[in-house]
């Protein structure tokens, strides 16, 4: 498609995303597809329009289509992460809840994990870890409840591992995570995810230790030079 063609499609997406119902979600998809093609000057021109659609999406929808749009908007405008921290925070929580309740939607799970990992903070890791602990330790007798619990636990294990890998190095990890991993190891459905999370935590810890050691060596060399 020529630039004129996708620019027109992007404009249509911006207009449709301001409507209601299916048209709004189709508009989000069109923005998600064509916004990354814009040059920096074009992105600056569209910023105010995209920002209004961004806050609306965070507050009104938690679907795969909104997740794709939110991801594209954050990639185009990284400042949205802090400018709209509150609506984004609430959106991520609701998106995770939606993914947990829809075990058959693999694309929604993937988009959810990518968004959480890309914007991982100590606070978000703690919230996800708290949910994970509750799922691993809760009961449930019916087959439906047990099946949904298995899905939720596996999803949260993968999501927390992704967040740990992408979090700022040296970020504090919840103290309950190791106990939660130990409990998850006892279930076949969760064992692989528990091992993946443990590996991510070990790698993060090793990086932090290595960084600390390098800083110590650099400081020692500086002191020697001063002497």
């Amino acid at each position: 498609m020529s630039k004129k063609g996708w620019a027109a499609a992007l404009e249509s997406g911006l207009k449709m995303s301001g409507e209601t119902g299916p048209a709004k979600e189709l508009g989000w998809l069109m923005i998600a597809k064509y916004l990354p093609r814009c040059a920096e000057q074009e992105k600056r021109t569209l910023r105010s329009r995209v920002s209004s659609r961004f806050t609306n999406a965070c507050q009104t929808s938690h679907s795969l289509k909104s997740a794709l749009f939110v991801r594209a908007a954050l990639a185009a405008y990284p400042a949205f992460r802090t400018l709209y921290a509150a609506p984004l925070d609430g959106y991520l929580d609701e998106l995770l809840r939606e993914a947990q309740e829809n075990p058959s939607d693999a694309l929604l799970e993937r988009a959810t994990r990518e968004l959480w990992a890309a914007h991982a903070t100590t606070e978000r890791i703690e919230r996800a870890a708290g949910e994970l602990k509750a799922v691993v330790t809760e009961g449930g007798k019916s087959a439906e409840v047990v099946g949904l619990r298995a899905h939720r636990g596996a999803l949260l294990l993968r999501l927390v591992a992704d967040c740990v890998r992408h979090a700022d190095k040296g970020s504090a990890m919840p103290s309950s995570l190791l106990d939660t991993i130990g409990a998850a190891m006892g279930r076949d459905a969760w064992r692989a995810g528990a091992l993946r999370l443990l590996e991510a935590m070990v790698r993060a810890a090793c990086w932090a230790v290595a960084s600390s050691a390098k800083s110590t060596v650099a400081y020692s060399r500086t002191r020697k030079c001063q002497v």
Side-chain angles (χ1 to χ4, degrees), residues 40-49 77:
E40 291 305 313
Q41 179 58 45
E42 294 167 324
K43 290 178 182 176
R44 285 193 289 270
T45 302
L46 296 171
R47 176 172 172 149
S48 63
R49 297 174 70 189
Y77 307 102

Side-chain angles (χ1 to χ4, degrees), residues 113 158 160-167 169 196-197 199-200:
R113 287 167 53 196
R158 290 191 290 267
V160 175
D162 290 344
C163 288
V164 169
R165 278 193 291 268
H166 289 82
K169 304 306 180 184
R196 188 181 298 114
L197 174 54
E199 179 185 10

Side-chain angles (χ1 to χ4, degrees), residues 3-209:
K3 180 175 180 179
K4 184 177 180 179
W6 64 254
L10 177 58
E11 179 63 29
S12 296
L14 286 164
K15 291 179 179 178
M16 293 170 67
S17 62
E19 300 177 10
T20 58
K24 178 192 287 286
E25 296 212 339
L26 180 57
W28 286 335
L29 280 180
M30 294 171 72
I31 297 172
K33 182 174 182 179
Y34 297 114
L35 183 61
R37 301 189 185 189
C38 291
E40 291 305 313
Q41 179 58 45
E42 294 167 324
K43 290 178 182 176
R44 285 193 289 270
T45 302
L46 296 171
R47 176 172 172 149
S48 63
R49 297 174 70 189
V50 175
S51 68
S52 67
R53 303 297 189 261
F54 180 84
T55 54
N56 179 262
C58 287
Q59 295 166 354
T60 62
S61 176
H62 313 104
S63 65
L64 172 63
K65 296 180 182 66
S66 73
L68 296 176
F69 162 66
V70 167
R71 183 177 65 184
L74 287 169
Y77 307 102
F80 282 8
R81 178 177 177 177
T82 51
L83 284 173
Y84 306 113
L88 176 60
D89 209 38
Y91 176 78
L92 291 175
D93 285 344
E94 292 298 326
L95 187 66
L96 177 56
R97 189 167 295 111
E98 189 74 18
Q100 290 183 72
E101 294 174 356
N102 291 275
S104 62
D105 198 334
L107 292 177
L108 177 61
E109 176 187 330
R110 179 178 177 181
T112 301
R113 287 167 53 196
E114 288 178 354
L115 274 173
W116 270 76
H119 306 285
T121 62
T122 297
E123 292 75 18
R124 289 194 183 113
I125 292 175
E126 287 177 347
R127 288 209 303 275
E131 284 202 40
L132 174 61
K133 181 179 180 181
V135 170
V136 170
T137 58
E138 74 182 2
K141 296 182 179 180
S142 71
E144 181 180 359
V145 170
V146 172
L148 183 59
R149 179 187 172 205
H151 161 72
R152 292 177 62 205
L155 186 159
L156 287 165
L157 282 164
R158 290 191 290 267
L159 181 139
V160 175
D162 290 344
C163 288
V164 169
R165 278 193 291 268
H166 289 82
D168 292 336
K169 304 306 180 184
S171 297
M173 296 298 140
S175 58
S176 62
L177 262 183
L178 288 177
D179 290 337
T180 304
I181 291 172
M185 289 284 193
R187 286 282 300 276
D188 291 341
W190 296 335
R191 191 168 295 121
L195 288 171
R196 188 181 298 114
L197 174 54
L198 182 60
E199 179 185 10
M201 291 182 66
V202 169
R203 287 180 180 275
C206 288
W207 196 99
V209 170

